[in-house]
Amino acid sequence: MTYLVIFEDQSHGIQRADLLAALERDWPSVAIQQRQGVQESRDIVWTFTEAGQELEGYTHRDGTCMYLDSSLGLAARFVLWFRGLVPTDIELFFCDDSYTFNGSIDSGMSLEDVAAIALEE
């Protein structure tokens, strides 16, 4: 399934260099396939594998949206990690690519809190 993390205010976003540095620092086993893409929605592309599960992540060129193709558990971990990169006064939302659910990601949330957003369709 494809999950999204979206900035509520589209005037905010994460800078490419900041995201790349954070991925390499905090997820050392991440394989970065693309550092600057030609498609609007696939600028930075990376994969992460853990316990036989794979996550493919990619960001919109303007840094306002992160896409996570994975199981809910891995997506939730990346969502919480990403929340830590964004100032707490900037609102982030978690949803799927069909917008069947949508919820705010707040600092201090647990993996279970994030998963509950997806499971409360």
Side-chain angles (χ1 to χ4, degrees):
M1 175 172 264
T2 301
Y3 299 99
L4 287 74
V5 182
I6 303 170
F7 284 82
E8 167 67 5
D9 179 350
Q10 296 293 293
S11 68
H12 297 306
I14 190 160
Q15 297 295 310
R16 178 185 296 118
D18 295 339
L19 179 58
L20 285 166
L23 280 168
E24 291 172 337
R25 177 191 68 229
D26 298 338
W27 301 88
S29 63
V30 159
I32 298 174
Q33 275 79 40
Q34 195 166 285
R35 292 177 176 272
Q36 183 172 359
V38 294
Q39 295 179 15
E40 281 286 316
S41 64
R42 293 182 72 84
D43 189 40
I44 300 171
V45 179
W46 68 93
T47 57
F48 175 75
T49 304
E50 178 179 80
Q53 296 184 24
E54 182 175 273
L55 175 140
E56 179 185 33
Y58 43 102
T59 57
H60 196 273
R61 185 176 296 149
D62 65 7
T64 61
C65 183
M66 176 185 294
Y67 306 83
L68 303 167
D69 291 333
S70 74
S71 67
L72 178 56
L74 280 178
R77 284 184 54 205
F78 265 82
V79 167
L80 290 176
W81 168 77
F82 189 67
R83 172 76 262 183
L85 300 178
V86 177
T88 57
D89 63 326
I90 297 175
E91 198 162 9
L92 288 176
F93 284 94
F94 179 53
C95 62
D96 67 353
D97 59 349
S98 299
Y99 299 100
T100 56
F101 68 85
N102 182 8
S104 181
I105 302 300
D106 300 317
S107 297
M109 289 181 86
S110 68
L111 287 172
E112 293 78 18
D113 294 334
V114 174
I117 292 169
L119 299 173
E120 292 177 2
E121 297 181 33

